[in-house]
Amino acid sequence: MPKPVIGILGAGKVGTVLGRLFVAAGYRVIIAGSREASRIALTVEVLVPGAEVGTSEEVARKAEVVILALPLGKYLTIPRDALRGKLVLDAMNYWWEIDGFRDDLSDPRVSTSELVQAYLPESRVLKAFNHMGYHDLDEGPRPAGAPGRKALGIAGDDAADLETTAALVDAVGFDPVTVGTLRDSINLEPGSALFGANFERQAVRDAVTAFPETERGLLVAAARADSPWVGGAA
Amino acid sequence: MSFEIGLNTFGDVPTEGGRTFSDAETVRLLIEEAKLAESAGIDVFSVGEHYREGFVDSAGAVLLAGMATATESIKLGTSVTVLSTNDPVRLYNEFSTLDAISNGRAQLVLGRASQTQSFPLFGYDLADYEQLFEEKLELFMQLQSGMPVTWSGTVRAPLVDQTLHPTMRAGGIPTWIGVGGSPNSVIRAARYGLPLMLAIIGGEPQRFAGHVDLYYRALEQFGMPRQPVGQHALGLVADTDEEAADLWWESWKPMVEQMGKERGFYAPTRERYDLELATGALFVGSADTVAQKIARMTRELRISRFDLKYDVPGLPVGARARTIELLGTEVAPRVREILAEENVNA
């Protein structure tokens, strides 16, 4: 498969690091900030040399794979129509110090990627690139098979899309580990042992296996058993 | 090249012989530590702004006023003042007064804060942090210009032809922008032509070299003159690397675990910690180790100011005092020596 065009929504800490990783791996990368493209032109030129800039709409339209790297609290500003039919990788996390205190984003019954999928019903949403700190992402890429190569958990519902995403993770220098469905992706969110982790493959797998018995895992299971979230766009 | 060494405190409550200091004792200790910093030859002493148990730096201007009367030459500032939840008018009044008390030694680092307790405390919505900072910075810089200010915005009452007293020294006090890694914040500092303080608290500091490039390029684009870049980091200086590493770990680990619990991230391992010491953002070690590391930053990040946050809750008072002494009397001269050698060789 030829290398897909990578779009990144968000030109902050995470977006610029991911942009560098994909440019280094030989991908065409287009980045959008929250406002006009001109506002991030210098940032992208200096921090992500080789990437292009565009508006969110342009990025969503031109790219084949779009990574969400904006504050989760702003997910309802994502250009829904332009993302129709696209593979969307959700790298966002609920971070109350940025998003404010939000009950909707911290509901243990639902993963935040499910919320994003519900808002983008005609896109294929997967969770990826969210759980490792951006400086570890920046410093961590290594070629496949290199000793000490770090792993990134990914989650999604479609086998083919998971395969595509895994290939992208591998291409930028990390071992992909599928951790489950979009519903399961709560085990990559803040509060889980994998959040902030900079582990190798086996340690990521072990953390996934251990999750149901952790304090957070038990809380999630209890909340979901009690009154399941039935979904729906916000 | 002139190089400034600073100390930062968040007013972390220390221990002595296993006993935890009271808040009031800690406040008084900070004044003593500022005096000690001055006698050790430190250039700048700065206090943070936090509103939580274990930290007593909630009233920065008052603390700095106390230090101002107890010292003679050391510069006194903040790191960082949470401008978003401050009133720029009140801030001006406090710091023009501090500048008068200290006879021209006041300065500021303004930021959006990474600890955000001040938002609910003062009735602000975290979701507005960007707008709050943007508008308040604009107003604060107008006030510092010394001209009567007419201003209106969404974050406070409008001002009409307002002059404040005591007036700030001409041109205002040195005002830095504290940045944690957001490219937008770097560009904002450049837009105002203000010096940049990089808060680097994890990972390899060299990652920020791109931010410094971005800052210089943005200054050029805005037609602003070159401004200094500083680095704020955490650490401890002791007589040996080993002693320093163990002392800091003992107090730092529980603090980071607590932060991890609040923010939902993974707690550090000793292995990870050792890596932070070797190649990462922690400046923990003997005077020579720390001096070498700071000198490396001046090359790779082009900084001309380095601020060390030397306290962490529970750290013994003696370890804090030793850090202050060694930073001023051994680290700073050694850094300057290395820089001078390099300039000669350049």
Side-chain angles (χ1 to χ4, degrees):
Chain A
M1 175 179 112
K3 286 182 170 165
V5 177
I6 305 293
I8 300 176
L9 301 184
K13 300 173 189 175
V14 177
T16 51
V17 169
L18 290 176
R20 275 201 295 280
L21 290 179
F22 277 98
V23 169
Y27 288 79
R28 182 178 169 208
V29 175
I30 319 173
I31 303 183
S34 54
R35 287 178 279 189
E36 317 88 87
S38 63
R39 289 186 69 110
I40 60 159
L42 186 62
T43 295
V44 170
E45 185 189 330
V46 177
L47 295 184
V48 201
E52 302 158 43
V53 297
T55 63
S56 301
E57 290 274 344
E58 285 164 359
V59 167
R61 232 185 300 280
K62 287 184 190 166
E64 294 159 270
V65 177
V66 175
I67 304 177
L68 306 178
L70 60 157
L72 178 62
K74 294 183 179 166
Y75 81 96
L76 297 178
T77 67
I78 296 167
R80 171 162 36 186
D81 293 338
L83 284 172
R84 197 172 288 149
K86 297 283 166 82
L87 184 61
V88 174
L89 305 184
D90 175 14
M92 302 185 293
N93 294 297
Y94 173 51
W95 199 244
W96 50 264
E97 298 188 301
I98 297 288
D99 300 317
F101 296 99
R102 298 263 302 256
D103 289 340
D104 58 330
L105 303 181
S106 54
D107 183 342
R109 293 174 304 164
V110 56
S111 70
T112 52
S113 284
E114 286 177 286
L115 293 175
V116 174
Q117 177 69 80
Y119 172 67
L120 303 172
E122 293 179 66
S123 308
R124 291 129 56 212
V125 175
L126 285 87
K127 189 81 166 182
F129 299 109
N130 79 297
H131 74 90
M132 184 183 283
Y134 63 91
H135 54 79
D136 289 328
L137 279 172
D138 207 10
E139 295 163 21
R142 293 185 197 186
R149 194 189 207 210
K150 298 297 194 289
L152 287 174
I154 58 174
D157 297 339
D158 181 273
D161 289 339
L162 278 166
E163 206 172 302
T164 307
T165 306
L168 293 172
V169 168
D170 184 50
V172 301
F174 297 88
D175 283 337
V177 176
T178 300
V179 307
T181 64
L182 211 55
R183 187 148 186 75
D184 299 326
S185 70
I186 203 156
N187 65 14
L188 294 172
E189 291 184 9
S192 78
L194 282 175
F195 189 74
N198 186 28
F199 292 166
E200 291 176 33
R201 185 162 43 194
Q202 192 54 46
V204 170
R205 287 184 182 139
D206 292 347
V208 172
T209 310
F211 179 74
E213 298 305 319
T214 61
E215 198 180 320
R216 174 75 179 158
L218 292 169
L219 185 147
V220 166
R224 289 180 171 183
D226 207 31
S227 65
W229 182 79
V230 289
Chain B
M1 142 186 178
S2 78
F3 189 79
E4 280 195 310
I5 289 261
L7 281 163
N8 293 171
T9 171
F10 292 176
D12 302 37
V13 173
T15 54
E16 190 169 39
R19 183 185 72 87
T20 301
F21 269 41
S22 73
D23 283 2
E25 279 176 295
T26 307
V27 166
R28 288 189 291 273
L29 173 71
L30 297 182
I31 311 293
E32 293 306 312
E33 289 181 334
K35 284 160 67 177
L36 183 61
E38 176 167 276
S39 66
I42 299 289
D43 300 302
V44 196
F45 194 87
S46 305
V47 302
E49 182 182 338
H50 298 81
Y51 302 89
R52 57 179 302 161
E53 192 183 357
F55 302 85
V56 300
D57 60 344
S58 57
V62 181
L63 278 172
L64 293 168
M67 293 168 189
T69 60
T71 57
E72 281 169 7
S73 58
I74 194 166
K75 293 172 191 162
L76 298 165
T78 62
S79 173
V80 305
T81 292
V82 188
L83 182 63
S84 321
T85 55
N86 256 287
D87 178 5
V89 172
R90 166 56 60 200
L91 191 67
Y92 178 102
N93 288 330
E94 286 173 348
F95 278 78
S96 66
T97 304
L98 176 69
D99 203 45
I101 294 174
S102 65
N103 199 9
R105 291 186 280 141
Q107 51 176 268
L108 277 165
V109 180
L110 303 176
R112 296 185 315 190
S114 68
Q115 299 249 343
T116 50
Q117 286 85 6
S118 64
F119 282 80
L121 186 61
F122 295 114
Y124 291 99
D125 188 343
L126 267 168
D128 298 334
Y129 73 97
E130 186 73 38
Q131 175 85 4
L132 285 165
F133 191 81
E134 191 74 56
E135 283 196 25
K136 289 185 175 188
L137 181 60
E138 185 207 348
L139 173 55
F140 187 70
M141 293 317 292
Q142 277 189 39
L143 290 168
Q144 284 231 72
S145 75
M147 308 290 286
V149 168
T150 297
W151 180 91
S152 68
T154 64
V155 299
R156 82 173 310 286
L159 301 177
V160 179
D161 218 13
Q162 184 75 51
T163 315
L164 301 175
H165 298 278
T167 51
M168 203 77 97
R169 73 175 103 143
I173 60 172
T175 302
W176 299 59
I177 298 296
V179 169
S182 150
N184 248 337
S185 299
V186 171
I187 290 179
R188 176 164 38 221
R191 198 166 68 237
Y192 284 94
L194 295 173
L196 183 72
M197 182 63 77
L198 298 166
I200 306 180
I201 56 173
E204 289 172 13
Q206 291 87 335
R207 279 185 306 109
F208 281 78
H211 287 68
V212 178
D213 284 339
L214 177 63
Y215 175 62
Y216 286 152
R217 288 282 306 277
L219 280 172
E220 265 170 42
Q221 209 171 73
F222 293 119
M224 293 286 182
R226 274 267 168 132
Q227 294 291 335
V229 175
Q231 177 183 3
H232 155 100
L234 275 61
L236 175 144
V237 192
D239 293 300
T240 66
D241 286 342
E242 248 186 347
E243 187 194 349
D246 290 343
L247 265 169
W248 185 263
W249 171 248
E250 221 164 279
S251 300
W252 182 77
K253 179 175 181 263
M255 185 199 69
V256 180
E257 277 173 353
Q258 177 57 32
M259 279 170 54
K261 217 177 273 178
E262 289 168 19
R263 301 182 191 198
F265 64 71
Y266 171 70
T269 58
R270 176 74 194 217
E271 186 191 3
R272 173 102 199 193
Y273 168 75
D274 288 335
L275 197 67
E276 283 289 345
L277 263 54
T279 59
L282 289 175
F283 287 68
V284 173
S286 67
D288 191 57
T289 298
V290 172
Q292 297 287 354
K293 196 162 177 174
I294 295 172
R296 200 156 65 235
M297 294 307 126
T298 67
R299 287 193 293 270
E300 294 174 16
L301 293 177
R302 290 173 282 167
I303 56 166
S304 59
R305 171 175 171 182
F306 181 88
D307 280 18
L308 186 76
K309 182 187 179 284
Y310 64 94
D311 53 359
V312 65
L315 194 68
V317 170
R320 294 164 59 132
R322 191 72 183 135
T323 296
I324 295 169
E325 278 172 35
L326 288 173
L327 190 75
T329 59
E330 293 192 24
V331 175
R334 183 79 189 107
V335 172
R336 292 191 175 106
E337 218 175 82
I338 298 170
L339 296 181
E341 282 165 19
E342 284 174 357
N343 279 349
V344 169
N345 297 336

